[in-house]
Amino acid sequence: MKINFVDLKAQYLPIKSEIDSAIQNVIDKTAFTLGEEVEIFEKNFADYCGSKYCIGISSGTDALHLALRAIGVGYGDEVIVPVNSFIATAEAVSHCGAIPVFVDVDEKTYNLDVLKIEEKITVKTKAIIPVHLYGQLADMDAVIGIAGRYNLKVVEDACQAHGAEALNKEGAWQRAGTFGDAACFSFYPGKNLGAYGDGGAVVTNDSVIAEKLRLLRSHGENAKYIHSVVGYCNRLHAIQAAILNVKLNKLDEWNRKRKNNAQLYGKLLSGSGVTVPYCGENRRHVYHLYVIRAEDRDGLIDFLSDRGVSTGIHYPTPIHLQGAYNNSGYREGNFPVAEKISKEILSLPMFPELTSEQIEYITELIRKKFKD
Ligand SMILES: Cc1ncc(COP(=O)(O)O)c(C=O)c1O
């Protein structure tokens, strides 16, 4: 059986007519950049997250970069970043001329280890970026507490966590994107909410940050050819917003299917010798990725691949060991948890349309591999 890591065609086919007419509608209007579709999506996505403002941006990376600029991060500042994330989290800091200061991750959740943040705070620290990795919220109570004590801003990297929730101090479920000063989402095609190209957004409850972002994303322009700040060309395109408007209506159902798939994986992998994802009791995980840990991970990849199953590694090299950060003074041994898990983690196929037969096939192969 051949099983893709993600299957965007399986997602597209049932909604083809809605998507096609949404795209055609934009072409008919010939209004391609920002405009009505983007405004509708911004309103819808802000409501979905439970946030006051949403600003559509060209990608998750650009959303992070502009959000950091909007909260005042600049040259020489330091920003705390988990070392196990997609490199874009750190890149956004570097794009501001600031320094990403890496922190190790928690061995159970793979999110920022909040006990290791304070030792990294200096007079130059401006902000913390908790990443809600794989679809599970980071420990936001702890992050917000630390940020409050040291007067730091918090920018959530919610690029993998559309619709994820955590129980807040008041005992209510609260969505990713509403804990920090601002939160950034990616709509890269394979995300839980994905566009048909690049796309991103920042959500915030702060009107000043929202206004700065509106300026920054489009050449600092506040009226036709009136540019009050030096900005960027980082706008969300109308075709992507129109697609996202269709897909946002399906997001909760897709997230439910991902969760069901994760539960089935968990059941069928129990006792198999691999470690399945941990989901905290006070968390609603949206399983952007289903990440297991296994001995002989690379052998397992080959074993599955030889039998038609595609997998991924998120991420094979912690950011401090990437060539891009060669000159930042970090070396192997600095972040033992991230370094260890990077050799053991494996992302199994995960998407809403994955069938129980496919999960049974994958889990049977894993059991077989570890019995041999
Ligand atoms: C955790 C995380 N941060 C940032 C990004 C960057 O988003 P984009 O690819 O839309 O620029 C991604 C996307 O892969 C991500 O997973």
Side-chain angles (χ1 to χ4, degrees):
M1 194 184 303
K2 180 162 166 33
I3 306 176
N4 294 332
F5 183 61
V6 289
D7 189 346
L8 294 179
K9 209 161 218 169
Q11 190 192 62
Y12 169 60
L13 290 177
I15 55 171
K16 183 178 183 331
S17 61
E18 273 179 277
I19 293 281
D20 292 359
S21 76
I23 294 172
Q24 190 59 52
N25 186 30
V26 174
I27 298 172
D28 290 341
K29 285 199 251 174
T30 59
F32 296 108
T33 306
L34 295 179
E36 195 188 354
E37 299 298 336
V38 173
E39 282 167 27
I40 294 170
F41 175 69
E42 289 175 337
K43 162 94 182 60
N44 290 342
F45 195 63
D47 288 350
Y48 178 84
C49 294
S51 196
K52 274 197 194 148
Y53 309 100
C54 168
I55 299 91
I57 311 270
S58 41
S59 71
T61 309
D62 297 331
L64 283 162
H65 171 219
L66 297 196
L68 291 170
R69 290 215 176 260
I71 61 160
V73 171
Y75 184 77
D77 291 336
E78 293 179 358
V79 178
I80 306 273
V81 171
V83 77
N84 179 37
S85 181
F86 182 53
I87 193 164
T89 317
E91 280 177 320
V93 177
S94 305
H95 292 163
C96 295
I99 301 152
V101 174
F102 298 118
V103 170
D104 212 346
V105 293
D106 176 77
E107 183 147 9
K108 222 159 138 188
T109 63
Y110 313 129
N111 272 326
L112 194 55
D113 185 342
V114 293
L115 298 176
K116 296 185 181 146
I117 294 177
E118 284 187 79
E119 65 201 51
K120 294 295 179 83
I121 294 175
T122 72
V123 286
K124 292 183 183 167
T125 311
K126 274 279 165 58
I128 306 174
I129 309 184
V131 179
H132 307 319
L133 201 68
Y134 308 147
Q136 175 166 225
L137 270 120
D139 184 348
M140 292 311 292
D141 287 346
V143 170
I144 301 287
I146 294 167
R149 284 201 294 285
Y150 292 89
N151 197 21
L152 307 176
K153 299 280 188 200
V154 175
V155 173
E156 293 169 66
D157 180 338
C159 287
Q160 302 189 359
H162 317 71
E165 291 176 316
L167 265 189
N168 63 20
K169 284 196 197 120
E170 289 76 45
W173 288 103
Q174 191 176 328
R175 282 217 160 126
T178 54
F179 291 84
D181 296 283
C184 303
F185 289 86
S186 163
F187 304 125
Y188 187 77
K191 298 293 194 230
N192 290 34
L193 179 63
Y196 285 7
D198 282 309
V202 182
V203 300
T204 179
N205 283 328
D206 185 320
S207 60
V208 177
I209 292 176
E211 207 34 56
K212 280 189 186 160
L213 284 162
R214 283 187 213 290
L215 285 178
L216 286 172
R217 74 172 167 183
S218 190
H219 302 289
E221 188 175 62
N222 47 6
K224 189 86 179 157
Y225 298 129
I226 308 294
H227 306 272
S228 56
V229 294
V230 175
Y232 299 84
C233 183
N234 283 167
R235 298 174 291 241
L236 181 63
H237 293 167
I239 285 183
Q240 303 306 345
I243 291 164
L244 291 167
N245 274 323
V246 172
K247 292 179 78 175
L248 183 57
N249 291 324
K250 327 276 177 196
L251 178 58
D252 282 341
E253 182 195 331
W254 287 337
N255 280 346
R256 254 194 313 277
K257 288 185 172 166
R258 285 176 183 269
K259 189 175 163 195
N260 292 343
N261 290 341
Q263 279 172 342
L264 185 58
Y265 263 131
K267 194 172 127 204
L268 298 178
L269 285 174
S270 127
S272 67
V274 305
T275 306
V276 299
Y278 167 82
C279 174
E281 268 176 28
N282 53 2
R283 292 287 180 274
R284 285 180 176 157
H285 200 312
V286 292
Y287 297 99
H288 170 56
L289 294 167
Y290 188 83
V291 179
I292 62 166
R293 270 166 79 185
E295 276 175 33
D296 188 22
R297 185 265 319 269
D298 294 341
L300 179 59
I301 293 175
D302 292 342
F303 186 82
L304 291 171
S305 163
D306 289 346
R307 289 154 186 82
V309 178
S310 302
T311 54
I313 304 174
H314 301 87
Y315 293 91
T317 307
I319 305 176
H320 70 294
L321 299 178
Q322 294 283 357
Y325 287 101
N326 256 349
N327 299 328
S328 20
Y330 293 101
R331 56 191 158 67
E332 198 149 359
N334 284 154
F335 301 103
V337 177
E339 290 170 25
K340 179 176 153 202
I341 64 165
S342 68
K343 298 184 178 74
E344 299 173 359
I345 48 180
L346 180 67
S347 308
L348 298 180
M350 171 54 85
F351 48 91
E353 300 77 15
L354 192 67
T355 65
S356 26
E357 291 70 32
Q358 288 173 317
I359 295 174
E360 279 158 20
Y361 177 71
I362 297 164
T363 52
E364 256 166 46
L365 287 178
I366 295 173
R367 287 184 165 279
K368 194 158 165 239
K369 157 84 178 138
F370 289 109
K371 232 195 281 159
D372 290 346

